[in-house]
């Protein structure tokens, strides 16, 4: 981090003094700057003369006395309070009175560090994100002691570096890490409980949420010891069980398995500091975890007429399956086929399908207004309203009309699959297939087995997912499955930040997009999903796990009560133009 910040400042035209007691670290910093400036010249972004000037502006020293004339000193030493305090008190003695001292901590109290100096008004937090040259976000952390002039000066500097400054108060994790580390901690606990494999947890969050990395791979990159330290500080401040480090994090830290930097963490790496993952005892073998042989599937029934049902039917039809799309009336089923056809037309217009492929897919779909048409289907996928009674009634119908051995799947995202299965006389044939919206575009399917699901039924669905080019992740039948169980507590915590007046909706969205690499900020996503839908999922999670930290934020409940449900009503956390 120190090397990255030094590079950002040097290339922006500042004289930079790098200080480290380790000569090797100093040499690596110089080498890193040499390489990055050389790449800039090769890509035509800089001249050789400009490169020479930048390198001349960066000098390294082994002693803090080299900072005596600095206008700003940024500390990024180990995330341990005693070390940071030692550095700060020494700097306070050495630097000129008007110098500003900044800490790069993301977990420790900036206020406490400031109080150790004789210049608390000129101390703040400056939280860059790794890698500093690439990441746009910088959290500017003011304490109750920081003067407005100090904050303004540093904010102006951050803007001059081409970064996005976000003002925050002093609490562990600030915005981005405050939301990110709770989510990472829950993912570690999910892995520790053996609810899903590390590969499936990571794939689910990458493919289901569009994240650049899965949570366990990200923990390995950050450093498991660092994550544990941050979570300890967050828990000390919040006493929220969601911030109490999962035992597996402490165990890995104690064992020296710190992630990439040690060569092993949740995954194993080619060498310490290498990004290359190598197989280990937990790596899935050539044989699937589901060892049974699946049942043959030629005809697929889809029950429902909404967007999800049409999308799922499109997925199967494009893959060559015969599809029977059933609804309560023939008109509804035919309307769903029209919706499917229009979706395929858009794919043709974008060059993703030929006209012949489009016509062949449409020809594979037969609409029907009677569930009796599902009699010969090998796999039936239900995609109706998220209402348990409605689904149970439909599965009772499936039980009567579907042939023996047919696999019956529900697309529920929040209801217990086993409760749907028990509505039939064949619960061993019932499974969850949680597609993500829009089904034709989203690669992920959560395959949800109950305690009654037969192994060959799981195998069938995994094989079918492969045939339709979807990535299947395997998980048990509990609230939220993988994605929603990790995503919605993070969204709920973002609402709590606004509710507590810690940060604004815009600042939180910016922090998570620029600092966490999220495709959408939490409030953008909440407004798209629908605040009523989000609240319902939060309530299900809270009821299932009984953790006080999962209780829906009162602000979310109030907005739903007021009818502010997001984009669909024109107002949620933001206001939208009415269509």
């Amino acid at each position: 981090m120190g090397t990255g910040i030094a590079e950002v400042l040097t290339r922006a035209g500042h004289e930079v003094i790098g200080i480290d007691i380790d000569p090797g670290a100093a040499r690596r910093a110089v080498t890193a700057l040499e390489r990055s400036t050389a790449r800039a010249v090769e890509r035509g972004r800089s001249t050789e003369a400009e490169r020479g000037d930048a390198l001349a502006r960066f000098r390294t020293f082994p002693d803090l006395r080299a900072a005596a004339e600095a206008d700003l000193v940024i500390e990024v030493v180990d995330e341990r309070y005693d070390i940071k305090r030692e550095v700060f008190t020494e700097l306070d003695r050495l630097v000129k009175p008007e110098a500003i001292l900044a800490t790069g901590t993301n977990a420790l109290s900036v206020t406490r560090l400031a109080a150790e100096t004789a210049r608390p008004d000129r101390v703040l937090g400056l939280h860059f994100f790794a890698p500093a040259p690439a990441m746009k976000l910088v959290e500017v952390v003011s304490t109750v002691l920081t003067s407005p002039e100090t904050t303004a000066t540093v904010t102006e500097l951050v803007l001059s570096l081409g970064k996005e400054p976000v003002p925050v108060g002093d609490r562990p994790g600030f915005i981005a890490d405050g939301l990110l580390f709770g989510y990472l901690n829950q993912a570690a606990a999910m892995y520790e409980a053996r609810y899903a494999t590390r590969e499936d947890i990571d794939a689910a969050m990458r493919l289901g949420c569009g994240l650049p990395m899965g949570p366990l791979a990200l923990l390995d990159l950050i450093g498991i010891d660092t994550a544990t330290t941050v979570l300890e500080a967050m828990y000390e401040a919040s006493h929220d069980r969601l911030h109490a480090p999962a035992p597996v994090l402490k165990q890995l830290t104690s064992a020296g398995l710190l992630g990439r930097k040690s060569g092993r963490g949740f995954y194993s790496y080619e060498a310490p500091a290498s990004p290359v993952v190598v197989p280990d005892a937990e790596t899935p073998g050539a044989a699937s975890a589901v060892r049974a042989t699946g049942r043959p599937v030629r005809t697929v029934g889809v029950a429902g007429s909404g967007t999800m049902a049409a999308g799922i039917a499109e997925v199967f039809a494009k893959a060559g399956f015969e599809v029977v799309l059933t609804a309560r009336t023939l008109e509804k089923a035919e309307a769903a086929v029209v919706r499917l056809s229009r979706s395929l037309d858009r794919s043709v217009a974008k060059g993703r399908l030929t006209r012949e492929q489009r016509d062949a897919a449409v020809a594979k779909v037969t609409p029907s207004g009677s569930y009796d048409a599902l009699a010969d289907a090998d796999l039936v996928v239900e995609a109706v309203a998220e209402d348990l009674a409605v689904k149970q009634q439909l599965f009772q119908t499936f039980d009567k009309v579907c042939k023996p051995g047919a696999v019956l799947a529900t697309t529920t995202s929040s209801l217990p699959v086993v409760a749907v299965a028990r509505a039939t006389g064949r619960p061993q044939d019932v499974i969850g297939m949680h597609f993500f919206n829009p089904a034709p575009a989203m690669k992920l399917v959560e395959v949800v087995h109950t305690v009654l699901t037969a192994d060959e039924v799981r195998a069938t669905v995994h094989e079918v997912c492969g045939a339709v080019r979807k990535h299947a992740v395997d998980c048990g039948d509990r609230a939220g499955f993988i994605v929603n169980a990790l995503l919605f507590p993070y969204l709920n915590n973002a609402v709590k930040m606004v509710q507590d007046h810690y940060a604004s909706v815009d600042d939180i969205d910016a922090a998570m997009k620029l600092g966490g690499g999220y495709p959408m900020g939490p409030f953008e996503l909440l407004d798209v999903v629908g605040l009523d839908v989000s609240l319902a999922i939060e309530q299900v999670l809270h009821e299932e796990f009984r953790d006080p930290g999962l209780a829906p934020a009162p602000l979310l409940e109030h907005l739903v009560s007021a009818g502010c449900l997001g984009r669909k009503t024109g107002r949620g956390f933001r206001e939208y133009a009415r269509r």
Side-chain angles (χ1 to χ4, degrees), residues 356-386:
E356 292 73 21
Q357 289 170 324
R358 178 263 184 209
D359 292 342
V362 173
K364 289 285 185 182
V365 184
T366 302
S368 175
S370 170
Y371 294 122
D372 290 341
L374 301 173
D376 293 324
D378 303 302
L379 166 67
V380 177
V381 182
E382 163 273 310
V384 299
E386 194 74 343

Side-chain angles (χ1 to χ4, degrees), residues 33-47:
L33 184 60
E34 289 173 344
R35 288 174 178 167
S36 66
T37 52
R39 286 194 298 270
V41 172
E42 289 171 7
R43 295 169 183 173
R45 297 173 182 169
S46 177
T47 66

Side-chain angles (χ1 to χ4, degrees), residues 108-462:
L108 303 177
S109 170
V110 181
T111 306
R112 190 176 168 196
L113 283 171
E116 297 280 0
T117 73
R119 64 183 81 207
D121 60 319
R122 302 188 70 76
V123 176
L124 46 58
L126 203 52
H127 184 212
F128 286 79
F129 287 74
M135 299 298 281
K136 300 290 286 185
L137 179 70
V138 179
E139 291 176 317
V140 180
V141 189
S142 300
T143 76
V144 292
L145 303 172
T146 308
S147 71
E149 294 78 15
T150 298
T151 301
T153 298
V154 173
T155 300
E156 186 177 338
L157 170 66
V158 171
L159 285 168
S160 73
L161 300 175
K163 303 293 186 183
E164 183 74 28
V166 172
V168 294
D170 182 22
R171 75 183 211 184
F174 313 130
I175 296 176
D177 286 353
L179 293 176
L180 177 66
F181 278 87
Y183 148 71
L184 297 177
N185 192 39
Q186 288 178 280
M190 182 179 282
Y191 164 80
E192 184 174 24
R194 293 294 185 258
Y195 175 67
T197 67
R198 62 190 182 183
E199 287 83 4
D200 280 354
I201 292 170
D202 279 354
M205 298 313 292
R206 285 189 293 104
L207 300 176
C209 296
L211 300 181
M213 293 183 76
L216 302 180
L218 182 54
L219 278 165
D220 275 358
L221 176 62
I222 292 169
I224 293 167
D225 53 339
T226 301
T228 303
T229 299
V230 174
L231 286 164
E232 290 280 16
M234 289 173 62
Y235 179 73
E236 185 178 347
S238 70
H239 296 291
D240 186 335
R241 282 175 53 194
L242 298 181
H243 298 154
V248 68
L249 296 175
K250 294 184 176 181
Q251 292 160 13
L252 290 170
T253 299
S254 298
L257 307 179
L258 309 180
R260 283 193 192 182
K261 60 188 174 186
S262 67
R264 185 177 165 195
F266 286 100
Y267 294 89
S268 296
Y269 299 87
E270 193 172 52
S274 170
V276 180
V277 176
V278 296
D280 58 20
E282 291 190 46
T283 303
S288 168
V290 183
R291 298 184 182 278
T293 301
R295 301 170 185 173
V297 174
R298 298 179 182 86
T299 301
V300 176
V302 178
S305 58
T307 301
M308 184 58 78
I312 292 170
E314 177 183 334
V315 167
F316 284 108
K318 284 193 298 187
F321 289 90
E322 296 292 334
V323 179
V324 179
L325 196 158
T326 61
R328 285 176 292 178
T329 66
L330 180 59
E331 291 75 18
K332 286 181 178 293
E334 289 175 337
V337 175
V338 170
R339 188 181 296 114
L340 178 157
S341 302
R342 289 173 179 165
S343 174
L344 292 170
D345 287 339
R346 290 191 292 271
S347 294
V348 172
K350 294 174 181 177
R352 295 171 182 167
L353 283 180
T354 64
R355 174 58 59 176
E356 292 73 21
Q357 289 170 324
R358 178 263 184 209
D359 292 342
V362 173
K364 289 285 185 182
V365 184
T366 302
S368 175
S370 170
Y371 294 122
D372 290 341
L374 301 173
D376 293 324
D378 303 302
L379 166 67
V380 177
V381 182
E382 163 273 310
V384 299
E386 194 74 343
D387 182 300
L388 182 58
V390 171
K391 291 182 187 289
Q392 287 174 325
Q393 184 176 10
L394 185 57
F395 270 74
Q396 288 173 353
T397 301
F398 292 165
D399 198 24
K400 295 173 184 176
V401 304
C402 294
K403 65 185 181 182
V407 173
L408 311 180
T410 173
T411 60
T412 183
S413 62
S414 59
L415 300 174
V417 177
V418 73
V420 176
R422 288 298 303 275
T424 74
R426 49 174 113 175
Q428 71 279 1
D429 292 337
V430 179
I431 196 166
M433 283 186 77
H434 181 210
F435 287 80
F436 287 74
N437 194 31
M442 298 295 281
K443 292 292 186 184
L444 182 69
V445 176
E446 290 177 318
V447 179
V448 187
H449 59 273
T450 77
V451 293
L452 302 173
T453 305
D455 285 346
E456 65 178 23
V457 169
R458 289 172 65 187
T460 301
V461 172
H462 277 270

